[in-house]
């Protein structure tokens, strides 16, 4: 049984190495934006939550949370715009595998659009509530949760495309793509490794923002 269909006879408009270089470059930029978003959201959430304490530093933590929240919508625009090119390059280079894996988790893959809209909206609500001196941390928590779900969907899709031996069984189990399988034992570890990097990226971003105020 042939795992992949016949290669499209239409040639690529440029050398393969060029597409790979552009893919790695744009993917790296996308990852930087994603890490800053996740780390910044987590930091803003913690600062907003701890600002409820009645101590001298509460106002300082609230101001820091608001300063991060005002910039998070801009970071999200970079996440989205820098995420499109590597996805397109991946489709050019690995389209037959990527299309198949996307169909196998089709319900989740389509849900990314609505999850992203919800994540973006809650970031704006988080910033607006902080400006109004209202309780804002639930908005940050929801936004962070939605962002984590999106990242898990993408990690699953990119891993599933590497395991064609699992495709037939998954399609037989759910033709609408309702499953989000862990076909690789290392999937969870790789996903968590990338999430931990968000803490470092968020911390460096906060240091850079603090330097701008000096």
């Amino acid at each position: 049984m042939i795992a992949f269909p016949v290669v499209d006879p239409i040639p690529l408009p440029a050398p393969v190495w060029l597409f790979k270089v552009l893919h790695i470059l744009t993917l790296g930029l996308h990852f930087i934006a994603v890490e800053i978003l996740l780390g910044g959201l987590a930091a803003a959430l913690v600062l907003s939550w701890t600002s409820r304490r009645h101590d001298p530093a509460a106002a300082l933590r609230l101001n820091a949370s608001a300063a991060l929240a005002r910039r998070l919508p801009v970071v999200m625009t970079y996440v989205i715009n820098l995420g499109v090119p590597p996805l397109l390059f991946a489709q050019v280079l690995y389209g037959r595998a990527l299309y198949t894996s996307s169909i196998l988790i089709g319900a989740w893959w389509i849900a990314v659009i609505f999850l992203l809209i919800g994540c973006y909206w809650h970031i704006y609500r988080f910033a607006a509530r902080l400006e109004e001196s209202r309780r804002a941390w639930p908005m940050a928590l929801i936004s962070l949760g939605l962002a984590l779900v999106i990242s898990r969907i993408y990690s699953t899709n990119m891993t599933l495309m590497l395991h064609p031996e699992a495709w037939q069984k998954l399609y037989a189990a759910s033709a609408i793509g309702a499953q989000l399988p862990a076909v690789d034992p290392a999937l969870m570890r790789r996903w968590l490794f990338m999430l931990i990097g968000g803490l470092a990226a968020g911390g460096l971003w906060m240091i850079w923002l603090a330097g701008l105020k000096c």
Side-chain angles (χ1 to χ4, degrees), residues 64-86:
S65 179
L68 290 174
R70 286 194 300 268
R71 293 169 172 84
L72 285 175
V74 178
V75 175
M76 177 62 90
T77 62
Y78 282 100
V79 171
I80 296 173
N81 287 282
L82 291 174
V84 174

Side-chain angles (χ1 to χ4, degrees), residues 101-110 153 156-157 160 177 179-181:
S101 61
S102 299
I103 292 172
L104 291 173
I105 60 168
W108 290 95
W109 192 241
I110 294 176
I153 294 173
T156 301
N157 194 3
L160 182 58
Q179 291 183 327
L180 196 64

Side-chain angles (χ1 to χ4, degrees), residues 80-98:
I80 296 173
N81 287 282
L82 291 174
V84 174
L87 183 60
L88 295 178
F89 289 130
Q91 290 174 350
V92 170
L93 294 169
Y94 317 107
R96 293 177 294 159
L98 184 56

Side-chain angles (χ1 to χ4, degrees), residues 24-40 75-76 78-79 82-83 194 197-202 204-205:
I24 294 173
L25 176 63
T26 55
L27 185 62
L29 295 174
H30 172 64
F31 279 160
I32 292 174
V34 170
E35 299 284 19
I36 292 176
L37 176 71
L38 295 177
V75 175
M76 177 62 90
Y78 282 100
V79 171
L82 291 174
M194 292 299 295
L199 299 178
L204 292 173
W205 183 47

